[in-house]
Amino acid sequence: MAEPLRIALAGLGTVGAGVIRLIETNAELIARRAGRPITITAISARDRTKKRGVDLTPYAWEDDMVVMGERGDVDVVVELVGGSDGPALACARTTIEAGKALVTANKAMIAHHGLELAAKAEAAKVALKFEAAVAGGIPVIKGLREGGAANAFERVYGILNGTCNFILSQMEDTGRDFADVLAEAQARGYAEADPTFDVEGIDAAHKLSILAAIAFGAKIDFNSVDTAGISRLRAADIAQADSLGYVIRLIGMAEPGIAADGSPRLFQRVQPHLVPFDHPLAHVDGATNAVVAEGNFSGRLLFQGAGAGDGPTASAVVADLIDIARGEIGAPFSVPVAELEEMPAADTGHRTGRAYIRFIVADRPGVLAEITAAMRDAGVSIESLIQKGRSEAEGEVMVSMVTHEGPESAVSEALRLLDGAPSLARPPLVLHILGD
Amino acid sequence: MAEPLRIALAGLGTVGAGVIRLIETNAELIARRAGRPITITAISARDRTKKRGVDLTPYAWEDDMVVMGERGDVDVVVELVGGSDGPALACARTTIEAGKALVTANKAMIAHHGLELAAKAEAAKVALKFEAAVAGGIPVIKGLREGGAANAFERVYGILNGTCNFILSQMEDTGRDFADVLAEAQARGYAEADPTFDVEGIDAAHKLSILAAIAFGAKIDFNSVDTAGISRLRAADIAQADSLGYVIRLIGMAEPGIAADGSPRLFQRVQPHLVPFDHPLAHVDGATNAVVAEGNFSGRLLFQGAGAGDGPTASAVVADLIDIARGEIGAPFSVPVAELEEMPAADTGHRTGRAYIRFIVADRPGVLAEITAAMRDAGVSIESLIQKGRSEAEGEVMVSMVTHEGPESAVSEALRLLDGAPSLARPPLVLHILGD
């Protein structure tokens, strides 16, 4: 058997400990499948003394993770520190500059610095792999980069944040409100103490920007992702959606397009969507993630599995290591960075679709007339409208509607017409309906 | 850009024409992703004059597909002829013996001769790839062989035959019987004139044996797949399952095990199963395929998409070609053939589970007592039992039951006790219930 692939681990949180456990537990089958053993040489983390449930004594300790790639006995550094910049980025840069491969689960770093790191890796002819950065244990990067590589993708979308999906599923099952469910999720360790990255859609947007770059051959453009989270959703929205035949899911969606002048555009949005009961994503519950890729020959491909957790994330990290051990060192974004296209953000005004719009209004006469007049004046056609009784706070009433297929710009215009209207107790909420 | 990868196409049915269309339509993006163009040099089929909806004039015609691999201007032969032996196998052998790579969509050939071909390919250091042989456009071979490669798989199962799933979905939606729906599927081109391979589970068994070999590092053993099809199912079974909270799906399932003497065993079964409504496979409708792989670290991975059709199958064929163009030539079954284990068929008697058992009985007193006594004597615990009115043929009544978790051997024993009982108008039908 060939020489082992020797790795160094930067970061020993739950995922790092999971990688150690996986490499130890499955050592024999990994060696058989990879054609050579994968062994851990060195490790590094902020706190050397912390208990991690795995025996670290067989491995060399480095206080400074940034220099691990420079060790002569290391072929690959696995970066599991997290954070878009700081030590993670420094470690990534020095590793690649030292001519070593880098495997990372760091979505924020790839979303912000992936192009720079990929260009460096291509120049150094080393692998840069990040399967674990998107959708945990689901091999979706490989699914797009290799499994679906024959296709022009028409759309890529999915459920990319397990915390949000867990919260939405819980809201659905229990009828409780967002804040309540979030608090429980935090207590049970399913959500971070500061949940902003998850619940405001930023984590999903990181992942979406990575998927979009690979699917469409675009330069990563995280800043152009139109991002909204789930914190404004109410139990009543979920109940309303249910009565209309939908569940609510936080969907990240990317779609290539063409501007009026013929130049390429990229649409990227993370937002809660109404998903019809008969769509496969409507059955994705709990912390599960799922990605749909629609290819021009493959049709709709669905990849589903655990979106987080030490085991699934370690599974993706070690799959990358096996690829490297087998000699698979392709362009990190499927095509070389120099060939990725600049795809500026698409103008969403040209998009058409159906939407759910929810208003919290003052409970007084004329409010419905005011709202429906604005819809009429903006050219929004209403498919159904429900005004609920006074279950909301004192003097407030919920009015929700579903529009017919129409331009998104019309909905924006209607809301603009209603802007500042005294009948609106709170800003309206618009959720798009996932179309075929 | 590097030299093109030059392919020859053996077989120009709908999939062959699909491959040509794909390679022409997506030529530019394929070249970018593969790092070099993929071009078609030569083609071959039984009938040169048949209209195929694609222009064949740019390609050299070979009357004898068996010699295409020997052409100096061909790097890869794509075999799309079908059939486990005959011209397909001859073409595969000469191609590999000529030191050329082989890509095939031929599940029967791989199920029967995959080990021989893989050993030859490994010796010749050429690629043998067959993503399109299992689950059409879904990159599930890659999903097991690479994406999930870090895992010991505990179970692999799925919906592997689109024709059966289409028929079952139709039976479900319309309440019609099997023969009726099959006839319509044949009229609409969704089922073959001779549907045996599909409806009797043989096609699914071919695919399952390939998945099992890759997932468990086992020598392919198609002959040990315990195979039953869907032709004995009645509309009443589907209605009954529905009332109990299940759909019926033809599931192929493989699971590694250990014999009493510690030697490895492989359980492989294709059979209609009752699938609980809340399982992801319960929502796989129409001709869609889906495969679940349960890894010891990844947890449950689900791959879903179109299981057949020219576009999806071509997508899988060309994904293999792109892999070859990129230089990815690994062991076809993930580990070298010499390292695949002999895993004799597991003794199913030790398996436990829940089952649905349906009897068609004579409508006379004492029948239920006879059946339930046999169950008691064999130690089968009945969870629910329903005797329907006389909707069946004259003088016949349907009795169906669901058992508690228990050994499969007990159910077999109960049926043995009832064997030849005059009350049974027809042989009973046993369907296993898909467990977690």
Side-chain angles (χ1 to χ4, degrees):
Chain A
M1 191 162 281
E3 291 294 295
L5 184 77
R6 302 161 304 172
I7 72 165
L9 270 182
L12 295 169
T14 55
V15 175
V19 169
I20 294 175
R21 248 194 325 274
L22 198 170
I23 287 177
E24 290 174 351
T25 308
N26 292 349
E28 199 203 332
L29 77 86
I30 291 171
R32 220 175 322 135
R33 293 179 185 163
R36 51 182 174 141
I38 295 178
T39 57
I40 302 169
T41 302
I43 54 175
S44 177
R46 230 167 320 181
D47 179 359
R48 186 168 184 171
T49 58
K50 197 173 154 192
K51 288 266 172 271
R52 295 177 166 97
V54 286
D55 178 13
L56 301 178
T57 53
Y59 315 120
W61 181 272
E62 284 281 358
D63 282 321
D64 182 7
M65 64 185 65
V66 173
V67 304
M68 290 205 298
E70 290 161 358
R71 288 176 64 111
D73 58 0
V74 165
D75 304 308
V76 188
V77 174
V78 177
E79 183 280 306
L80 301 169
V81 181
S84 61
D85 294 81
L89 183 60
C91 169
R93 284 180 176 146
T94 51
T95 297
I96 294 170
E97 280 159 12
K100 304 297 173 70
L102 184 80
V103 170
T104 177
N106 189 333
K107 55 222 83 170
M109 181 177 76
I110 295 297
H112 286 282
H113 305 288
L115 295 182
E116 175 210 316
L117 295 174
K120 281 196 163 73
E122 289 168 15
K125 294 193 167 47
V126 297
L128 165 65
K129 292 190 174 277
F130 42 81
E131 184 66 80
V134 179
I138 312 171
V140 63
I141 301 262
K142 190 172 269 289
L144 296 179
R145 196 181 162 278
E146 304 174 28
N151 294 274
F153 288 107
E154 285 151 3
R155 193 162 66 149
V156 170
Y157 60 100
I159 294 170
L160 299 170
N161 184 275
T163 304
C164 286
N165 212 58
F166 174 82
I167 292 173
L168 292 174
S169 299
Q170 284 289 106
M171 289 174 72
E172 215 168 281
D173 292 349
T174 64
R176 289 185 298 156
D177 255 313
F178 171 78
D180 195 12
V181 173
L182 171 63
E184 195 204 312
Q186 287 172 313
R188 292 168 64 181
Y190 296 163
E192 308 274 345
D194 176 357
T196 312
F197 260 47
D198 288 318
V199 303
E200 297 307 341
I202 301 161
D203 173 78
H206 283 146
K207 296 166 180 168
L208 181 69
S209 67
I210 297 170
L211 290 179
I214 293 172
F216 308 120
K219 289 208 196 310
I220 275 199
D221 188 7
F222 165 71
N223 291 321
S224 296
V225 185
D226 175 19
T227 305
I230 63 171
S231 59
R232 289 185 61 210
L233 292 174
R234 298 176 169 209
D237 292 311
I238 288 175
Q240 201 63 271
D242 181 72
S243 73
L244 295 164
Y246 301 94
V247 297
I248 298 182
R249 292 286 177 269
L250 184 70
I251 302 284
M253 180 182 294
E255 212 177 285
I258 303 281
D261 67 359
S263 65
R265 288 288 182 277
L266 181 60
F267 167 75
Q268 298 181 97
R269 176 185 278 161
V270 170
Q271 221 173 65
H273 279 65
L274 269 65
V275 179
F277 287 159
D278 65 358
H279 191 286
L281 294 187
H283 306 285
V284 177
D285 295 321
T288 304
N289 280 197
V291 177
V292 175
E294 295 174 351
N296 65 340
F297 280 78
S298 64
R300 185 189 278 174
L301 296 173
L302 171 73
F303 303 86
Q304 186 172 320
D310 54 343
T313 310
S315 166
V317 166
V318 179
D320 280 347
L321 292 171
I322 293 174
D323 255 7
I324 293 171
R326 287 170 168 168
E328 204 288 294
I329 307 175
F333 290 97
S334 185
V335 305
V337 170
E339 294 177 31
L340 292 171
E341 277 190 289
E342 287 281 3
M343 293 175 73
D347 176 1
T348 57
H350 300 303
R351 292 183 66 82
T352 61
R354 296 167 63 227
Y356 165 91
I357 314 174
R358 178 258 283 164
F359 302 90
I360 304 292
V361 299
D363 186 13
R364 60 165 183 74
V367 169
L368 269 184
E370 194 174 356
I371 291 176
T372 52
M375 294 295 152
R376 177 200 61 211
D377 295 346
V380 175
S381 169
I382 299 169
E383 182 183 300
S384 60
L385 183 148
I386 304 174
Q387 173 171 343
K388 299 248 291 183
R390 301 181 197 177
S391 60
E392 300 299 317
E394 195 61 44
E396 294 183 357
V397 168
M398 175 167 150
V399 175
S400 56
M401 61 175 70
V402 165
T403 70
H404 280 292
E405 179 92 14
E408 293 190 0
S409 58
V411 172
S412 309
E413 171 63 11
L415 299 190
R416 201 190 56 72
L417 293 175
L418 288 166
D419 194 26
S423 352
L424 300 194
R426 292 153 200 277
L429 176 75
V430 179
L431 305 180
H432 296 279
I433 297 180
L434 185 64
D436 276 339
Chain B
M1 189 163 279
E3 291 295 295
L5 183 77
R6 300 160 307 170
I7 73 166
L9 271 183
L12 295 169
T14 53
V15 175
V19 169
I20 294 176
R21 245 192 331 273
L22 198 170
I23 288 178
E24 291 175 351
T25 307
N26 292 350
E28 199 204 333
L29 76 87
I30 291 171
R32 221 175 321 136
R33 291 180 184 162
R36 49 182 175 142
I38 294 178
T39 58
I40 302 169
T41 302
I43 54 176
S44 178
R46 230 168 318 182
D47 179 359
R48 187 168 186 174
T49 57
K50 196 172 154 194
K51 287 266 172 274
R52 294 176 165 98
V54 286
D55 178 14
L56 300 178
T57 53
Y59 314 121
W61 181 272
E62 284 281 359
D63 282 321
D64 183 6
M65 63 185 65
V66 173
V67 303
M68 290 206 298
E70 291 162 357
R71 288 177 64 111
D73 58 358
V74 165
D75 304 308
V76 188
V77 173
V78 177
E79 184 278 306
L80 301 169
V81 180
S84 61
D85 294 81
L89 184 60
C91 169
R93 284 180 175 147
T94 50
T95 297
I96 295 170
E97 281 159 11
K100 304 297 173 69
L102 184 80
V103 171
T104 177
N106 190 332
K107 55 222 82 171
M109 180 177 77
I110 296 298
H112 286 282
H113 306 288
L115 293 182
E116 174 211 317
L117 295 175
K120 282 196 163 71
E122 289 169 13
K125 295 192 168 45
V126 297
L128 166 65
K129 291 188 174 276
F130 41 82
E131 182 66 79
V134 179
I138 312 172
V140 63
I141 301 261
K142 190 171 270 287
L144 295 179
R145 196 180 162 280
E146 304 173 28
N151 294 273
F153 288 106
E154 287 153 1
R155 191 163 66 149
V156 170
Y157 60 101
I159 293 171
L160 298 171
N161 183 274
T163 304
C164 286
N165 211 59
F166 174 82
I167 292 173
L168 292 173
S169 299
Q170 285 288 105
M171 289 173 73
E172 215 168 282
D173 292 348
T174 64
R176 289 186 296 157
D177 253 315
F178 171 77
D180 195 12
V181 173
L182 172 62
E184 195 204 310
Q186 287 172 313
R188 292 168 64 180
Y190 296 165
E192 308 273 347
D194 177 357
T196 312
F197 260 48
D198 288 318
V199 303
E200 296 308 340
I202 302 162
D203 172 79
H206 283 147
K207 296 166 180 168
L208 181 69
S209 67
I210 297 170
L211 290 179
I214 294 172
F216 308 121
K219 289 208 197 307
I220 275 200
D221 188 6
F222 165 71
N223 292 321
S224 296
V225 184
D226 175 20
T227 304
I230 63 170
S231 58
R232 290 184 60 209
L233 292 174
R234 298 176 169 210
D237 292 311
I238 289 175
Q240 202 62 269
D242 180 73
S243 74
L244 295 163
Y246 301 94
V247 297
I248 299 183
R249 291 286 178 267
L250 183 71
I251 302 284
M253 180 183 294
E255 212 176 285
I258 303 281
D261 67 359
S263 64
R265 287 290 182 274
L266 181 60
F267 167 74
Q268 299 180 96
R269 177 185 277 161
V270 170
Q271 223 175 64
H273 280 64
L274 268 65
V275 179
F277 288 160
D278 65 357
H279 191 287
L281 293 187
H283 306 287
V284 177
D285 296 319
T288 306
N289 279 197
V291 176
V292 175
E294 294 174 353
N296 65 339
F297 280 78
S298 64
R300 184 187 279 175
L301 296 173
L302 171 73
F303 302 86
Q304 185 172 322
D310 53 344
T313 310
S315 167
V317 165
V318 179
D320 279 349
L321 292 171
I322 292 173
D323 256 7
I324 294 171
R326 286 170 168 167
E328 203 288 294
I329 307 175
F333 290 97
S334 186
V335 306
V337 170
E339 293 177 32
L340 292 171
E341 277 190 289
E342 287 281 3
M343 292 176 74
D347 176 1
T348 57
H350 300 303
R351 292 183 65 81
T352 60
R354 295 167 65 228
Y356 165 91
I357 314 174
R358 178 257 284 165
F359 301 91
I360 305 292
V361 299
D363 185 13
R364 58 166 186 75
V367 169
L368 268 184
E370 195 174 355
I371 291 176
T372 52
M375 294 295 152
R376 178 200 59 211
D377 295 346
V380 175
S381 171
I382 299 170
E383 181 184 300
S384 60
L385 183 148
I386 304 175
Q387 173 172 342
K388 299 247 292 181
R390 300 182 196 176
S391 60
E392 300 300 317
E394 196 61 42
E396 295 183 355
V397 168
M398 175 167 151
V399 174
S400 56
M401 62 175 69
V402 166
T403 71
H404 280 293
E405 179 91 15
E408 292 190 2
S409 57
V411 172
S412 309
E413 171 63 10
L415 298 190
R416 201 191 56 72
L417 293 175
L418 287 167
D419 193 25
S423 350
L424 299 195
R426 293 152 201 278
L429 176 76
V430 179
L431 305 182
H432 296 281
I433 297 180
L434 185 64
D436 279 338

